[in-house]
């Protein structure tokens, strides 16, 4: 193998998402089956021993693509030369909490990590924030990294996107592979808006095929938006394997491109499109090509959608004000 390995930094490596993520990164599911990787694991001091144990297990898999594992509790070391950074390390919510309740607990993690990315990452760094509240944590990291192009900071709404695809597939009795152009708008929170008005089911308009406004408003949207809480209720712990899977999907699509005739959802810095205030990290429909993404333009937004997008964007604005107040941006 002659290709230069890609440095992938994963924070929270000893956590439950980390455990579901690392083995699949090392086996080629993040970047591709022909791309060698070096893993850089960041943990807090209490997590280092468990991260070492995970690294031992990674060694024991003898993954042909895995060309090294470094472990550190220093962000300046862990992000040194990073090409891809998965910011997972943060506290998960527990039963009865909203993700925004974690802002104070987790917000402080992302400012020093953003600065370390600014100072040490490779020029082509791509950042995905998974730790909640993901959109606003991405904003905090980005604000601390003024030398990195702002579009390199993204937040994960791919789990919501995947959840919505399955709900729509099940409702219409269609395989998930037949669902296209679904969109998650706004925040990775209970206010997110999964939009099927432009989606397709086997090439036909999804809203027309469903033709059931009550299901849309009272079942589909709340099921997707509150799925994280339902998983916590059922499992007693927040989603892990599905979150890791979505993180792999997010980066894989960003790097390798969306399929012709489809798009995906990513939390990205707004350029003002669709009336989302510039700079907020909000979820949009995007296409990707050659490692870059573009917001899908020109979609007609009906009143039902507009109301829901605005509500989620309002929450993002409130979170931005809150972190401003905490001195995090
Ligand atoms: N965006 C999404 O769709 C999505 C989905 C699932 C979970 N999440 C979020 O991902 C985060 C992680 O979830 P989890 O279940 O893996 O949690 P976990 O508690 O199992 O693991 C978190 C790990 O992060 C480590 N950590 C804490 N602070 C750190 C720091 N400053 N630097 C490096 N590591 C640090 C902890 O030691 C721990 O090992 C939570 O905030 C959770 O809410 C987001
Ligand atoms: O809901 C949570 O707190 C975890 C995660 O964000 C999820 O959507 O499953």
């Amino acid at each position: 193998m002659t290709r230069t390995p890609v440095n992938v930094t994963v924070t929270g490596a000893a956590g439950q998402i980390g455990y579901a993520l690392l083995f699949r990164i090392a086996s080629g599911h993040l970047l591709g089956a022909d791309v060698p990787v070096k893993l850089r694991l960041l943990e807090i001091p209490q997590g280092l021993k468990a991260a070492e144990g995970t690294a031992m297990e990674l060694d024991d898999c003898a993954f042909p693509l895995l060309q090294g594992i470094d472990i550190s509790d220093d962000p300046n070391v862990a992000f040194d030369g990073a090409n891809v950074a998965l910011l997972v390390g943060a506290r998960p919510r527990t039963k009865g909490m909203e993700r925004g309740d974690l802002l104070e607990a987790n917000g402080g993690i992302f400012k020093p990590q953003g600065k370390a990315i600014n100072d040490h990452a490779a020029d082509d760094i791509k950042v995905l924030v998974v730790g909640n509240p993901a959109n606003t944590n991405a904003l905090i990291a980005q604000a601390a990294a003024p030398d990195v192009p702002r579009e390199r900071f993204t937040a994960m709404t791919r789990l919501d996107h995947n959840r919505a695809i399955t709900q729509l597939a099940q409702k219409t009795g269609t395989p998930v592979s037949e669902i296209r152009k679904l969109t998650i708008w706004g925040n990775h929170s209970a206010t997110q808006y999964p939009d099927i008005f432009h989606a397709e089911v086997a090439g036909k308009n999804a809203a027309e095929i469903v033709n059931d406004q009550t299901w849309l408003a009272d079942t589909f949207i709340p099921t997707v938006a509150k799925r994280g809480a339902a998983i916590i209720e059922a499992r007693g712990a927040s989603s892990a394997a599905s979150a890791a899977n979505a993180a792999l999907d997010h980066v894989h699509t960003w790097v390798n491109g969306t399929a012709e005739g489809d798009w995906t959802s990513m939390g990205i810095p707004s350029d003002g499109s669709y009336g989302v205030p510039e700079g907020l990290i909000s979820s949009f429909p995007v296409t990707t090509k050659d490692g870059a993404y573009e917001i899908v333009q020109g979609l007609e937004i009906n009143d039902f959608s507009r109301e829901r997008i605005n509500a989620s964007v309002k929450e993002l604005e409130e979170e931005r004000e809150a972190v401003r107040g905490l001195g995090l941006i």
Side-chain angles (χ1 to χ4, degrees), residues 89-318:
R91 203 183 122 191
R93 66 173 165 156
T94 44
K95 228 155 120 176
M97 291 173 84
E98 287 301 330
R99 298 179 188 95
D101 297 337
L102 294 168
L103 251 190
E104 213 165 333
N106 286 342
I109 294 174
F110 292 87
K111 189 171 175 176
Q113 291 186 359
K115 180 161 181 1
I117 288 169
N118 189 68
D119 296 348
H120 300 286
D123 287 346
D124 65 349
I125 180 73
K126 287 181 166 57
V127 181
L128 168 63
V129 175
V130 174
N132 277 319
N135 300 54
T136 299
N137 287 338
L139 188 70
I140 294 168
Q142 181 213 70
D147 303 331
V148 177
R150 71 175 189 173
E151 69 274 10
R152 306 288 186 75
F153 284 86
T154 67
M156 193 164 93
T157 52
R158 184 62 174 264
L159 179 54
D160 312 295
H161 182 94
N162 289 344
R163 287 167 171 165
I165 285 178
T166 298
Q167 293 302 317
L168 183 57
Q170 289 177 354
K171 168 74 175 169
T172 55
T174 318
V176 288
S177 55
E178 292 287 352
I179 309 288
R180 305 239 193 292
K181 298 185 177 172
L182 199 132
T183 305
I184 303 293
W185 297 94
N187 200 1
H188 173 63
S189 76
T191 67
Q192 68 178 266
Y193 172 50
D195 178 358
I196 67 164
F197 285 102
H198 306 283
E200 293 172 4
V201 176
K204 300 204 174 71
N205 181 269
E208 284 167 22
I209 296 238
V210 167
N211 192 25
D212 184 348
Q213 190 70 12
T214 307
W215 176 80
L216 181 61
D218 298 346
T219 303
F220 174 73
I221 294 172
T223 298
V224 174
K226 296 182 186 162
R227 185 70 163 184
I231 302 279
I232 292 169
E233 176 71 34
R235 241 171 59 83
S238 77
S239 59
S242 57
N245 181 67
L248 296 163
D249 282 352
H250 176 113
V251 174
H252 192 275
T253 304
W254 188 357
V255 171
N256 294 300
T258 38
E260 194 58 41
D262 200 2
W263 65 61
T264 189
S265 304
M266 288 170 68
I268 57 171
S270 176
D271 61 359
S273 293
Y274 295 102
V276 179
E278 217 246 325
L280 282 182
I281 301 211
S282 184
S283 188
F284 285 96
V286 298
T287 54
T288 58
K289 197 178 171 200
D290 300 330
Y293 57 78
E294 268 181 28
I295 297 176
V296 177
Q297 295 295 342
L299 300 177
E300 205 176 297
I301 306 296
N302 61 24
D303 290 348
F304 180 90
S305 298
R306 175 48 61 199
E307 194 188 313
R308 284 161 177 80
I309 294 170
N310 286 354
S312 198
V313 164
K314 181 165 173 281
E315 183 185 46
L316 283 171
E317 287 182 297
E318 287 163 4

